[in-house]
Amino acid sequence: MKTQKNKRVLAGATITGIAGAIILFAAPGLSQTANAQTADAIRPFTINIPEAALADLHQRILATRWPDKETVVDQSQGVQLATIQALANYWATKYDWRQCEKKLNSYPQFITNIDGVDIHFIHVKSKNPNALPIIITHGWPGSIIEQLKIIGPLTDPAAYGGKAEDSFDVIIPSLPGYGFSGKPTTTGWDPQHIARAWIVLMKRLGYKRFVAQGGDWGNAVTEQMALQAPPELIGIHTNMPATLPADVSKALQFGQPAPAGFSPDEQHAWDQLDYFYKHGLGYASEMANRPQTLYGIEDSPIGLAAWMLDHDGVSLALITRVFNGETEGLTRDDIIDNITLYWLTGTAISSARLYWESKLPFFDPKGVNIPVAVSAFPDELYQAPKSWTEKAYPKLIYYNRLPKGGHFAAWEQPQLFSQEMWASFKSLR
């Protein structure tokens, strides 16, 4: 290995590649198989995507072969042609990845190897010595980019209208197979395994007392952390809780009528879930059954973008409005930052495998018996009613129904989300 390359590798980690092939380099021998002497090492990490990869991305966007326009006037057939073409035009002519790269590199980033896989994470410490450590886990099609806007309010709440005593040390890891984390080369990296890895990570960082937060897959991982019950974990927060009563879960699974006797909040949750089960589960079913078949989203940036945009109808409608020029919680750069991260790291299929790995019923209660806080956002896949939430989490310490926000709550409504974090864990400090 040449001296210059040695310097680059030993400095931490870097990204290199030709014509869009991204290769992750870290300390020698630690990319996928841990060296016994240095397995616990925490190495600084810096992102530096080569120009060749960005040029290749640009060329592929311009070379997109477009399908015919949908034959309906709404999004019932999927992502509308006008929306994805507006996204492509912005991506190719106005978007600048380097701004996102600069933003990410402004935060302390690290790599550590756990169970043979490199785990990438952001770690920002509060200036408050009594700050409460929190590990925040993203989902799909999200990434660490989802949580960037809440780092400031959580680490320095006084600067954002809060109180200094509500400060957090913030740890935001990339799920295995996502972003700048390593890609597992063997099976078994399900939410339970990831939860064990996160507990190892927090202990490796020296934390003796911490809380955890997550939505989407982040909720699945966070709940599994709670079930594993390490003494250091004193409570969790979720913005996509698993609360479905058994009769509701069965009726949704088998397409049966709604159980009788719902309150208005329960009926609203049923209506949201009924629509999602009938019209929104296609992507999850494919990734759970045949993730390796999705070669198109690994090969085409526009194919990847459309696949990611079509996560849920409300989020897609919001993104459509953004590319129509309307002001929403997200910007065009927010959306394309996240898609570009998936593209440049080549993680379209490796991220999808989490659906194949997991055997958990997503919305069913798991029996969590540590303190739990829940924020129910109106445009989530379903806004969990308090009645279901109280039964699912016997140690519920906080519940709030929010007026605004959806599946990507921290990304869309960072101020509201941060206020929820301040309030949720106040009793555990």
Side-chain angles (χ1 to χ4, degrees):
M1 191 177 288
K2 295 180 181 179
T3 303
Q4 184 60 34
K5 190 171 184 179
N6 271 326
K7 289 180 180 177
R8 189 170 66 243
V9 169
L10 294 174
T14 188
I15 301 296
T16 188
I18 298 175
I22 306 300
I23 303 171
L24 181 65
F25 287 91
L30 281 176
S31 180
Q32 290 298 330
T33 304
N35 180 294
Q37 279 83 25
T38 58
D40 291 351
I42 295 174
R43 296 109 65 196
F45 180 86
T46 300
I47 303 164
N48 183 21
I49 300 295
E51 281 296 330
L54 299 178
D56 175 71
L57 168 59
H58 185 258
Q59 182 180 14
R60 287 170 182 261
I61 296 170
L62 295 178
T64 300
R65 186 173 72 173
W66 297 103
D68 296 334
K69 184 179 183 294
E70 64 278 358
T71 57
V72 294
V73 296
D74 55 26
Q75 62 184 37
S76 59
Q77 291 183 351
V79 181
Q80 292 170 288
L81 185 63
T83 299
I84 200 69
Q85 286 187 329
L87 183 151
N89 179 64
Y90 187 84
W91 204 357
T93 63
K94 297 180 180 179
Y95 176 73
D96 181 5
W97 163 259
R98 296 299 182 199
Q99 293 302 310
C100 179
E101 187 174 270
K102 181 179 179 181
K103 184 192 312 177
L104 287 167
N105 284 335
S106 72
Y107 298 107
Q109 297 175 83
F110 304 90
I111 294 280
T112 193
N113 192 281
I114 302 175
D115 294 345
V117 173
D118 280 345
I119 301 299
H120 164 262
F121 61 99
I122 293 172
H123 185 194
V124 184
K125 295 183 179 181
S126 172
K127 293 179 180 178
N128 180 356
N130 297 316
L132 180 62
I134 183 170
I135 182 167
I136 304 175
T137 309
H138 66 83
W140 187 94
S143 69
I144 56 170
I145 287 173
E146 272 187 78
Q147 284 90 23
L148 295 183
K149 297 175 186 176
I150 62 173
I151 293 174
L154 295 188
T155 56
D156 186 14
Y160 294 83
K163 297 179 180 178
E165 58 262 32
D166 293 326
S167 301
F168 294 88
D169 282 358
V170 175
I171 300 90
I172 308 172
S174 297
L175 289 165
Y178 287 67
F180 298 108
S181 280
K183 301 175 184 179
T185 57
T186 59
T187 61
W189 278 90
D190 56 14
Q192 294 93 325
H193 192 165
I194 297 169
R196 291 194 296 272
W198 276 198
I199 294 167
V200 169
L201 173 61
M202 294 302 283
K203 291 181 178 180
R204 194 170 289 180
L205 292 172
Y207 290 120
K208 307 297 184 185
R209 188 172 182 269
F210 62 88
V211 295
Q213 195 285 325
D216 195 84
W217 283 119
N219 173 68
V221 171
T222 299
E223 289 198 342
Q224 290 303 311
M225 292 175 71
L227 291 172
Q228 291 166 23
E232 296 86 356
L233 180 62
I234 61 172
I236 67 170
H237 174 277
T238 175
N239 53 292
M240 200 180 85
T243 70
L244 267 59
D247 58 343
V248 173
S249 181
K250 180 182 176 182
L252 289 164
Q253 183 180 356
F254 295 104
Q256 298 171 351
F262 280 158
S263 70
D265 287 350
E266 292 167 347
Q267 183 64 51
H268 177 59
W270 166 271
D271 291 341
Q272 290 176 303
L273 285 163
D274 186 48
Y275 181 87
F276 181 68
Y277 270 68
K278 291 175 179 175
H279 304 288
L281 271 174
Y283 73 91
S285 297
E286 180 64 16
M287 293 195 289
N289 284 295
R290 312 286 283 181
Q292 194 65 29
T293 298
L294 298 169
Y295 293 95
I297 64 173
E298 197 75 64
D299 182 64
S300 164
I302 296 304
L304 174 64
W307 188 259
M308 293 173 68
L309 259 58
D310 206 10
H311 174 270
D312 68 276
V314 177
S315 295
L316 174 56
L318 182 153
I319 291 169
T320 299
R321 293 194 296 274
V322 169
F323 282 98
N324 281 338
E326 298 180 33
T327 301
E328 288 281 356
L330 300 179
T331 67
R332 291 176 293 184
D333 281 349
D334 285 336
I335 296 158
I336 297 180
D337 283 346
N338 189 54
I339 299 167
T340 306
L341 178 63
Y342 273 76
W343 175 262
L344 293 174
T345 55
T347 50
I349 286 180
S350 60
S351 63
R353 290 196 188 107
L354 184 52
Y355 286 81
W356 186 90
E357 290 283 359
S358 179
K359 304 301 184 288
L360 297 172
F362 217 86
F363 297 122
D364 292 5
K366 308 299 186 298
V368 174
N369 282 310
I370 70 169
V372 177
V374 171
S375 298
F377 288 88
D379 292 329
E380 183 51 273
L381 301 184
Y382 80 108
Q383 189 173 28
K386 189 174 185 180
S387 56
W388 295 357
T389 305
E390 289 173 331
K391 292 176 182 177
Y393 304 112
K395 293 187 178 178
L396 186 69
I397 57 171
Y398 179 85
Y399 174 89
N400 190 27
R401 290 173 69 87
L402 281 298
K404 191 172 180 63
H407 185 72
F408 306 99
W411 203 21
E412 300 167 16
Q413 300 295 329
Q415 187 66 24
L416 280 179
F417 190 92
S418 299
Q419 290 169 355
E420 287 297 286
M421 295 304 98
W422 302 339
S424 291
F425 294 115
K426 192 176 289 290
S427 66
L428 298 181
R429 291 181 180 271

